């Protein structure tokens, strides 16, 4: 498993503090700081921090909203950082439910959804992983 705390500290300073309800993290380009809510679980913190690392890496600025292309990119970057394709393929053989997969992969469900969306554009990744893990059937079209 990737050490997201160490990786994040290479991109920005990390500050943990109480935040307004509904705010889990933020990146401030002016101070090169990632702010993290102090009340997050370990899994939430990993996912939010990976998301904010994407903003730091791309030097994003402004209030984003959940549906912007910048936020979707940050979710996708976080998913690719946190999910190992071989572990994903092996887990999906057991169950394809996003909530179960999230628990199994130690991520939040939105990270699984972002990873699945990315896989729609990169089916070769899962095809290779499936060959390595012994999964015989093709990846279902419902995913896309």
């Amino acid at each position: 498993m990737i050490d997201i705390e160490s990786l994040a500290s290479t991109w920005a300073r990390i500050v943990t503090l109480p935040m307004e309800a509904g705010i889990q993290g933020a990146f401030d380009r002016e101070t090169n700081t990632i702010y993290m809510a102090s009340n997050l679980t370990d899994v939430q913190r990993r996912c939010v921090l990976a998301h904010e690392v994407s903003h730091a890496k791309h030097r994003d600025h402004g209030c984003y909203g959940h549906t912007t292309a910048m936020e979707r990119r940050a979710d996708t970057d976080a998913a690719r950082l946190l999910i190992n394709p071989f572990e994903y393929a092996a887990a999906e053989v057991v169950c394809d439910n996003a909530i179960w997969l999230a628990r199994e992969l130690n991520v939040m469900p939105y990270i699984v959804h972002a990873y699945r969306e990315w896989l729609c554009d990169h089916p070769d990744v899962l095809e290779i992983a499936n060959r390595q893990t012994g999964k015989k059937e093709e990846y279902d079209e419902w995913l896309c």
Side-chain angles (χ1 to χ4, degrees):
M1 184 182 319
I2 189 165
D3 180 358
I4 191 63
E5 297 281 340
S6 294
L7 178 66
S9 67
T10 66
W11 287 101
R13 182 171 68 106
I14 304 166
V15 175
T16 302
L17 69 163
M19 297 181 89
E20 181 181 319
I23 306 293
Q24 296 182 327
F27 171 68
D28 182 351
R29 184 172 73 175
E30 303 305 317
T31 62
N32 198 41
T33 304
I34 293 173
Y35 294 98
M36 297 293 297
S38 57
N39 64 340
L40 301 177
T41 67
D42 290 344
V43 172
Q44 287 173 319
R45 182 174 174 89
R46 283 182 72 241
C47 295
V48 173
L49 191 52
H51 175 98
E52 297 304 331
V53 163
S54 176
H55 290 310
K57 179 180 174 186
H58 294 283
R59 309 297 300 156
D60 292 338
H61 184 27
C63 184
Y64 316 118
H66 293 294
T67 59
T68 66
M70 201 180 329
E71 289 300 305
R72 286 192 308 276
R73 186 208 59 226
D75 284 346
T76 299
D77 287 352
R80 293 184 60 211
L81 189 60
L82 297 174
I83 295 177
N84 176 302
F86 299 105
E87 291 175 2
Y88 179 89
E92 194 189 49
V93 169
V94 177
C95 181
D96 65 3
N97 177 278
I99 294 171
W100 184 88
L101 285 167
R103 287 186 187 135
E104 186 70 17
L105 299 170
N106 202 30
V107 297
M108 298 299 297
Y110 77 90
I111 295 291
V112 171
H113 290 295
Y115 192 73
R116 284 178 163 179
E117 287 179 18
W118 178 77
L119 283 175
C120 287
D121 294 329
H122 302 86
D124 54 314
V125 171
L126 197 60
E127 185 178 317
I128 292 165
N130 285 339
R131 272 191 248 132
Q132 295 295 317
T133 59
K135 184 176 177 186
K136 303 284 189 242
E137 64 269 15
E138 293 294 318
Y139 200 60
D140 297 330
E141 286 186 25
W142 65 263
L143 186 64
C144 301

